[in-house]
């Protein structure tokens, strides 16, 4: 009688599955993918090469997946070692490639300016030109070299005067600012060479009465090679390079200069005409002062906010304090007649031209205020807020915390319709136009969108940097960004990210 030999397996040995080699390879795929994700995510995390979130997701997810799939992986290797390892390695390679490719764009600080020694003295505006970022406080302007962050120059207004306004634009490496002796009305303008801090010229300005403390003081317009300043009976244009007179434009009878802004070719001015009369609007060719159009702002007296958003065609934001007053973005035609009215208080949200929550506007960088809207062609791109964007979360005995979200939306300035809307993870703190793109920053992320479609062209994590409050955002060139904060005591006054 034949005798059979019993097969004795070591304690704890894993018996092979009776499966074919290709089946063993398929069974090994999940385990290999989990191992590849764990290894790649861990390397990215340890070397700090990711955007701070995707590598953590792959590391934790890979570890959890490997803990679930290790037993089938081991059984498949016992069934057919060659096929199982081949399947596992292929899955690991695909998971590693996916982890690397999904790691988002990010930038981190390459230098930061030293904290302000005079805590509580905020910045009132900033410029970027001639290879420097200029942070302007009421008492001093300081230029930092973009390459390296060293101080290029300092400038202070004469005597005890303080800086009260900045031109929103610069040209030919020159910026123009206004200063005052009484802390309210700007009475003098100075042009600075932004490369050296040298004064190029100084000129007097007619004081402008501000009827509202909230009004953004855009008093000096730089257009092409011309600067436009207010004077007693209207506006005076001077050559940017030397301050010599170019042309004058008289205000209407009973009106005085209130604000001005422009682009490369066109200047838009608004004159205030009394407490019960609508402000007067005018547009001029920047190089010779030829009047292009005249119109009226639909308001009674001076609005709480009045801002020029674009010069050609003229586009204004008007916000009256009166509950029944005008609160809209207005697009004018070339003659000065209103073509489109876009209400800023809509049924689904409030269009924000200045940053802040739904309950209040934030007054940041008062001489050149931060904006949360930009105009590109016939599209207004602006932050849109809703009452529930800020929420207080608490559960049980744990400390509560506040969460926030935001959105950027595009609106047609032809018919006033909403074209698109994109949600963001945090409140929008600044919106700037750069070429044919619009860039936003909020919390720890930079976002670029296409104005016509709302398509996100960039989502860039700002590693080791959170804005926390509205700040000036400057695009420095390929891959470079500068943040200029009003409060330089708690955070770095200027930070350059790459």
């Amino acid at each position: 009688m034949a005798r059979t030999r019993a097969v004795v397996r070591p304690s704890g040995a894993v018996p092979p599955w009776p499966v074919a080699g290709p089946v063993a390879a398929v069974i090994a795929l999940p385990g290999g993918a989990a191992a590849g994700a764990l290894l790649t995510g861990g390397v990215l995390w340890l070397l700090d090469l990711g955007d701070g979130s995707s590598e953590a997701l792959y590391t934790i997810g890979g570890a959890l997946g490997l803990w679930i799939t290790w037993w089938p992986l081991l059984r498949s290797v016992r069934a057919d070692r060659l096929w199982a390892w081949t399947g596992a390695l292929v899955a690991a390679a695909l998971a590693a490639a996916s982890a690397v490719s999904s790691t988002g764009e990010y930038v981190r600080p390459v230098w930061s300016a030293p904290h302000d020694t005079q805590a509580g003295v905020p910045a009132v505006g900033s410029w970027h030109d001639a290879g420097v970022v200029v942070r302007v406080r009421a008492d001093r302007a300081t230029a930092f070299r973009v390459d390296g962050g060293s101080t290029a120059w300092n400038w202070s207004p004469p005597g005890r005067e303080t800086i009260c306004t900045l031109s929103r634009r610069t040209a030919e490496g020159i910026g123009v600012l206004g200063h005052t002796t009484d802390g309210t009305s700007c009475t003098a303008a100075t042009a600075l060479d932004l490369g050296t801090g040298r004064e190029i010229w100084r000129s007097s300005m007619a004081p402008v009465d501000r009827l509202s403390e909230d009004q953004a003081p855009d008093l000096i317009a730089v257009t092409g090679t011309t600067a436009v300043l207010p004077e007693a009976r209207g506006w005076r244009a001077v050559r940017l390079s030397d301050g010599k007179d170019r042309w004058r434009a008289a205000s209407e009878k009973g009106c005085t200069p209130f604000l001005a802004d422009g682009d490369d070719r066109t200047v838009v001015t608004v004159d205030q005409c009394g407490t019960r009369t609508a402000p007067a609007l005018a547009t001029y060719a920047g190089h010779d002062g030829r009047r292009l159009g005249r119109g009226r702002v639909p308001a009674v007296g001076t609005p709480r906010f009045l801002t020029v958003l674009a010069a050609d065609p003229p586009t204004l934001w008007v916000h009256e304090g009166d509950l029944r007053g005008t609160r809209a973005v207005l697009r004018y035609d070339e003659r000065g007649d209103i073509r489109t009215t876009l209400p800023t208080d809509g049924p689904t949200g409030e269009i924000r031209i200045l940053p802040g929550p739904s309950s209040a506007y934030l007054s940041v960088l008062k001489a050149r205020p931060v904006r949360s809207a930009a105009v590109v062609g016939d599209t207004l791109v602006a932050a849109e807020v809703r009452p529930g964007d800020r929420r207080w979360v608490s559960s049980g005995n744990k400390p509560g915390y506040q969460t926030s979200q935001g959105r950027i939306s595009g609106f047609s300035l032809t018919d006033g319709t909403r074209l698109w809307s994109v949600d963001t993870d945090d409140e929008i703190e600044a919106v700037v136009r750069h070429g044919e793109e619009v860039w936003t920053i909020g919390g720890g992320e930079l976002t670029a969108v296409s104005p016509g479609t709302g398509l996100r062209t960039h989502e860039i994590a700002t590693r080791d940097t959170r804005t926390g409050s509205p700040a000036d955002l400057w695009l420095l060139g390929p891959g470079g960004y500068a943040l200029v904060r009003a409060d330089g005591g708690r955070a770095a006054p200027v930070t350059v990210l790459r």
Side-chain angles (χ1 to χ4, degrees), residues 108-244:
R108 61 185 358 150
V110 294
W111 62 260
S112 295
H115 288 231
D116 270 351
T117 55
Q118 289 181 278
V121 181
V124 296
S126 72
W127 286 316
H128 163 55
D129 203 343
V132 297
V133 175
V134 184
R135 182 175 183 266
V136 183
R137 301 192 327 192
D139 61 335
R140 183 178 67 212
T142 302
F144 301 92
R145 295 183 179 90
V146 170
D147 295 330
S150 60
T151 300
W153 50 264
N154 285 285
W155 179 88
S156 294
R160 296 193 176 188
E161 295 189 19
T162 55
I163 298 168
C164 49
T165 189
L166 278 74
S167 61
R168 191 158 287 275
R169 302 175 68 253
T170 61
E172 300 183 329
I174 299 172
V176 186
L177 51 77
H179 37 102
T180 176
T181 55
D182 59 10
T184 55
S185 299
C186 296
T187 55
T190 297
L192 296 179
D193 182 324
L194 300 184
T196 64
R198 176 180 60 90
E199 286 189 21
I200 300 175
W201 51 263
R202 186 176 296 177
S203 175
S204 61
M205 293 197 309
V208 175
D209 294 329
R210 296 291 179 180
L211 303 182
S212 171
E213 294 182 357
D214 294 321
Q215 178 59 46
D218 289 325
L219 279 175
I220 301 172
V222 169
T223 172
T225 59
T226 302
V228 180
L229 313 172
E231 59 179 7
R233 298 181 181 180
W235 299 91
R236 177 169 62 98
V238 301
R239 195 157 55 194
L240 190 60
S241 59
D242 57 16
K244 292 184 178 180

Side-chain angles (χ1 to χ4, degrees), residues 36-89:
L38 173 62
L39 179 62
T40 307
V43 170
L44 292 174
W45 201 352
L46 289 174
L47 298 181
D48 201 17
L49 297 177
D51 61 3
S53 58
S54 58
E55 68 271 23
L57 177 64
Y58 274 94
T59 302
I60 297 172
L64 180 61
L66 191 60
W67 179 72
I68 295 173
T69 61
W70 73 271
W71 179 252
L73 175 62
L74 188 58
R75 294 292 295 269
S76 66
V77 171
R78 292 278 297 175
D80 192 306
R81 182 173 300 175
L82 178 61
W83 277 96
W85 280 119
T86 300
L89 290 174

Side-chain angles (χ1 to χ4, degrees), residues 332-345:
Y332 289 77
D333 61 21
E334 63 277 1
R335 295 174 300 179
D337 297 326
I338 296 175
R339 189 174 71 188
T340 305
T341 299
L342 173 62
T344 52
D345 295 323

Side-chain angles (χ1 to χ4, degrees), residues 297-374:
V297 178
V300 178
T302 305
R304 178 186 174 191
F305 296 107
L306 183 56
T307 299
V308 177
L309 298 178
D312 185 19
T315 306
L316 271 63
W317 171 47
V318 182
H319 183 101
E320 290 189 271
D322 189 340
L323 183 61
R324 299 295 300 276
T326 301
R327 297 182 179 183
V329 173
L330 308 174
R331 168 60 65 96
Y332 289 77
D333 61 21
E334 63 277 1
R335 295 174 300 179
D337 297 326
I338 296 175
R339 189 174 71 188
T340 305
T341 299
L342 173 62
T344 52
D345 295 323
T348 60
E350 181 184 357
I351 301 172
R352 305 293 287 186
I353 308 302
L354 297 178
S358 58
S359 59
Y361 290 99
L362 298 179
S363 181
V364 180
L365 300 174
K366 295 184 177 181
R368 189 187 179 280
V370 175
R371 290 181 179 174
S372 52

